[in-house]
Amino acid sequence: MFTKIIKFKQNNFLFYEIYLYNNKPELIYNAIKKKIQHSPVFFKKMPVIVNIYYIKNEINWEKVYNAINSTGINIIGINGNGCNNKNIIKIVNNTGTPILFTNNKNYKKTQNVSINKKKVNNNINSIKSKSIIKIIKEKESLSTKKDIYYKKSKIIYNPIRSGQQVYAYNSDLIIINNVSTGAELIADGNIHIYGFMRGKALSGANGNKNCQIFCNQLYAELLSIAGEYLLQNQIPKKFLGKSSRIYLKNKILKIKLCN
């Protein structure tokens, strides 16, 4: 009787993309470490793709590679669509780092827009392809403005499966279903889950400490508000499976049962 050993199958995975704007390893390392401080558990051993489109000068890829990996982030490849410098691609290729290519026809058109002239698109669906790190970087540049326009809540009716990630940009996130273990919810505003919550929920991704998380049935792997977080084993058992409200007080996450 034939027993199947392996199978090759095309699949869709979500990976974060780090955009480099500087070729100095020590500056890149410090910038990543500063970002990780806001949510260390979220970034721990995170697989990422590096985009070097904005690196116009030569780059010591071996040192940059080591600098990024030494932060605890794992590089799985370079975005080959994001660099027109053949010499840099050759250097990266010689180190054995995989060079990845997307099939997005609009990629070059999007990349040719000057970063200083980019504007945040009012259509929430247009940010799905952006990496979280890039979005947060844009948020920091906007944080100096007094008025930030918040969009209507992003509502999702389907279950959120393991490996899926949902990000609500400048808005609340409402899930009218279950969230599986291994799924990630990220919102600049509040997060509401009206089913089982078994994944990760990161509210106040733009640093808003007034945001809250509401779970109908709390079994979360991780809860985070504005960078402060609780792991599953830190959640008191009396809240597990219960309707709960999570909020931030004096930089400490608090949980309260919802009557």
Side-chain angles (χ1 to χ4, degrees), residues 124 128 132 150-158 160 164-177 179 183-194 197 200-205 211-215:
I124 190 65
K128 289 181 180 178
I132 295 303
Y150 277 79
K151 301 177 177 65
K152 293 181 180 179
S153 299
K154 182 172 184 177
I155 304 175
I156 296 180
Y157 296 90
N158 298 324
I160 309 301
Q164 284 187 284
Q165 181 193 84
V166 179
Y167 178 50
Y169 178 78
N170 266 6
S171 69
D172 291 350
L173 176 60
I174 301 174
I175 308 295
I176 316 292
N177 217 308
V179 180
E184 296 176 353
L185 307 179
I186 305 173
D188 287 340
N190 304 302
I191 296 178
H192 305 255
I193 305 104
Y194 292 102
M197 174 53 194
K200 300 175 182 178
L202 295 91
S203 177
C211 291
Q212 300 185 47
I213 301 171
F214 302 87
C215 298

Side-chain angles (χ1 to χ4, degrees), residues 81 94 100 116 133 146 259:
N81 297 92
N94 288 338
L100 311 176
N116 294 323
I133 292 179
K146 292 183 179 180
N259 298 326

Side-chain angles (χ1 to χ4, degrees), residues 14 28 40 43 48 52-53 80 88 114 118 121 128 136 150 165 190 193 205 244-246 250 254 259:
L14 292 172
I28 295 172
F43 287 103
V48 299
I52 53 177
Y53 175 82
I88 293 179
S114 172
K118 283 185 178 179
N121 196 316
K128 289 181 180 178
I136 292 175
Y150 277 79
Q165 181 193 84
N190 304 302
I193 305 104
S244 307
R245 175 173 71 92
I246 299 91
N250 297 326
K254 301 287 185 178
N259 298 326

Side-chain angles (χ1 to χ4, degrees), residues 217-248:
Q217 297 181 67
L218 178 61
Y219 295 101
E221 292 178 286
L222 178 143
L223 298 168
S224 175
I225 298 177
E228 305 297 334
Y229 65 92
L230 282 176
L231 297 175
Q232 189 175 49
N233 59 8
Q234 295 175 315
I235 300 174
K237 292 183 178 180
K238 66 178 182 180
F239 297 112
L240 296 180
K242 303 294 180 61
S243 179
S244 307
R245 175 173 71 92
I246 299 91
Y247 60 97
L248 195 59

Side-chain angles (χ1 to χ4, degrees), residues 1 20 45 60 80-81 101 113 131 140 151 153 161 206 218 223 230:
M1 181 177 179
L20 302 184
K45 294 184 179 180
N60 188 326
N81 297 92
F101 295 91
V113 179
S131 70
E140 289 176 345
K151 301 177 177 65
S153 299
R161 308 295 185 187
N206 62 353
L218 178 61
L223 298 168
L230 282 176

